[in-house]
Amino acid sequence: MWDLSNERALALASGILKDIPPASELWIMPHVRADGDAIGSCLGLKRILTKAGYHARLFLDEEVKESYRLLPQWTEAELWPEEPEKEADLLAECKAVGALFVLDCHEASRLGRREKCFEALTRRFIIDHHLFDTLPAEQEWIEAGRSSTSEMIVLLAAALSQLLKKDLFDLDMATSLALGLYTDTGGLRYSNTGVDSYLCMAALRQIGVKIAPLAEALFASRPLSELRAKGLAFSRACWEKDGRLAWVFFNREDMLSCGASDEDLAGICSDLREVRGTDLALFIRLTEEQGQEVLRINLRSSEAFDCSSLARKWGGGGHMRASGASQPLLGRSPEEQLEKILAEARQALSR
């Protein structure tokens, strides 16, 4: 096995074993609209905690996306109920839960319907690699320089294995973590890919993970609706600021015209950013969140611009090169709110 020792992972692992009695029930939650890293890291952690002697449950706000259903464990994820009575039952169960693990985000507001659970459980372990504004607490491992939360879970698994003197790695867990790591590094090619990213992937590969099926599912197997959505997006995309700013807007009719789902739209913003000379790309669409009309914004940027600063201004967050946010209409028309967003993006690029 490769050397995966890490001081912060070891400190967190020590805290988990010290603070949580064996056989305790533990809950795991990623952010809403969970991507490959969120799903992979949560499924990997669920298996790790189970093998460490705990009873772990994973709760999502929505169904696992089709492209992640090649993971052996994906059916183990539970949907947080929409019915008030069932939600009340789960919140009552919170009292007996040993701890809550929040992965790939560190803010309760990004948990959607599960936010009440975050508030109810005071013993929380947060593991995230997104940018943050305040210093992490003792039970938080937030490290923005990491490629992915899945990479951090690999290091945590190595630390727990060391402390328990027991190998917690297995092929199912390793496959989930490899998918998460591969997703957030764009196949180990993004600038966030560090030395530990390669070491962790090498360790997972040594366990038996096959990369080709992951690459096929993530990057080389697409529904026709996704290609139609991308064709529509590029046919109307606009470039400004000498080509540095790219943007495109979809309304509900656009979604219906190409039969696209949210999953089909995931790569549009990245494709816009990859056009030579583009420093900031915005994909903006009209949708509904918690009964309110909003413009959902995906941001991607080059090394020349930190798109997370814009996302935070709009109440969102993420990475320096990939972020997201939502802007409620607040009585404006979609076109008025769109122009406000674009004006702020233009101003940020000018600075």
Side-chain angles (χ1 to χ4, degrees):
M1 178 64 72
W2 299 80
D3 182 11
L4 301 178
S5 56
N6 179 274
E7 288 186 10
R8 298 181 74 171
L10 192 59
L12 188 67
S14 299
I16 292 170
L17 298 177
K18 175 184 175 183
D19 295 345
I20 309 175
S24 296
E25 180 163 311
L26 308 177
W27 287 7
I28 305 169
M29 297 180 182
H31 55 75
V32 292
R33 298 185 293 278
D35 57 10
D37 184 32
I39 291 292
S41 60
C42 284
L43 287 174
L45 180 64
K46 183 178 185 298
R47 178 60 62 93
I48 292 160
L49 292 175
T50 300
K51 295 186 72 174
Y54 299 105
H55 176 54
R57 299 175 71 184
L58 166 59
F59 291 99
L60 305 177
D61 248 33
E62 59 283 303
E63 296 279 358
V64 176
K65 294 178 181 178
E66 186 70 31
S67 53
Y68 307 143
R69 294 186 181 182
L70 79 164
L71 296 175
Q73 300 172 250
W74 78 269
T75 56
E76 297 177 15
E78 302 178 54
L79 276 180
W80 191 260
E82 295 186 17
E83 301 87 345
E85 298 82 6
K86 292 183 179 179
E87 181 182 62
D89 290 341
L90 271 181
L91 290 173
E93 288 183 39
C94 276
K95 299 173 183 177
V97 173
L100 173 65
F101 286 78
V102 178
L103 268 58
D104 209 36
C105 78
H106 55 272
E107 298 163 317
S109 60
R110 296 204 64 211
L111 292 177
R113 300 192 309 274
R114 298 158 298 160
E115 183 174 351
K116 296 174 184 176
C117 182
F118 185 96
E119 296 165 350
L121 276 165
T122 55
R123 181 179 285 173
R124 298 187 291 260
F125 291 87
I126 296 176
I127 306 171
D128 187 22
H129 71 128
H130 293 93
L131 295 169
F132 55 94
D133 295 322
T134 58
L135 290 175
E138 185 177 348
Q139 292 181 322
E140 298 177 351
W141 181 16
I142 307 175
E143 191 173 350
R146 290 285 168 189
S147 72
S148 58
T149 300
S150 293
E151 175 184 311
M152 299 167 77
I153 298 300
V154 174
L155 299 175
L156 178 63
L160 284 167
S161 296
Q162 176 185 334
L163 293 175
L164 291 171
K165 295 180 172 55
K166 173 185 178 182
D167 184 7
L168 299 180
F169 287 88
D170 63 35
L171 183 55
D172 285 354
M173 176 264 282
T175 301
S176 295
L177 295 175
L179 180 136
L181 205 164
Y182 207 68
T183 300
D184 258 27
T185 60
L188 299 174
R189 65 187 180 90
Y190 291 164
S191 60
N192 63 348
T193 310
V195 172
D196 278 351
S197 309
Y198 292 107
L199 287 173
C200 288
M201 188 61 85
L204 299 175
R205 182 72 181 85
Q206 192 170 25
I207 292 168
V209 171
K210 298 185 184 302
I211 299 299
L214 301 182
E216 176 73 19
L218 294 172
F219 304 123
S221 178
R222 302 176 182 181
L224 181 58
S225 54
E226 178 183 337
L227 296 179
R228 285 176 173 156
K230 289 188 175 184
L232 180 61
F234 269 88
S235 71
R236 65 168 58 166
C238 300
W239 271 263
E240 303 181 13
K241 309 291 289 182
D242 296 325
R244 295 183 63 213
L245 172 64
W247 64 272
V248 67
F249 170 68
F250 270 22
N251 57 31
R252 288 192 178 88
E253 290 72 26
D254 296 323
M255 296 279 289
L256 291 172
S257 70
C258 47
S261 65
D262 280 351
E263 185 175 0
D264 294 333
L265 306 176
I268 289 177
C269 197
S270 295
D271 289 342
L272 290 173
R273 216 296 303 157
E274 289 176 1
V275 173
R276 187 177 292 121
T278 304
D279 287 327
L280 174 63
L282 305 177
F283 176 55
I284 307 160
R285 63 191 185 278
L286 178 64
T287 187
E288 189 173 290
E289 293 179 0
Q290 298 180 346
Q292 184 179 37
E293 280 198 321
V294 301
L295 292 187
R296 187 180 297 166
I297 313 161
N298 292 106
L299 305 91
R300 299 292 185 271
S301 63
S302 70
E303 298 288 336
F305 187 77
D306 174 9
C307 68
S308 67
S309 59
L310 263 179
R312 290 198 299 273
K313 181 177 183 179
W314 295 329
H319 313 289
M320 294 176 68
R321 307 289 167 250
S323 296
S326 295
Q327 284 284 279
L329 296 186
L330 298 177
R332 297 187 181 94
S333 69
E335 292 74 21
E336 289 173 325
Q337 187 68 301
L338 172 64
E339 185 50 43
K340 177 178 178 290
I341 290 167
L342 293 174
E344 291 174 343
R346 294 176 188 124
Q347 185 179 26
L349 269 179
S350 296
R351 288 197 297 268

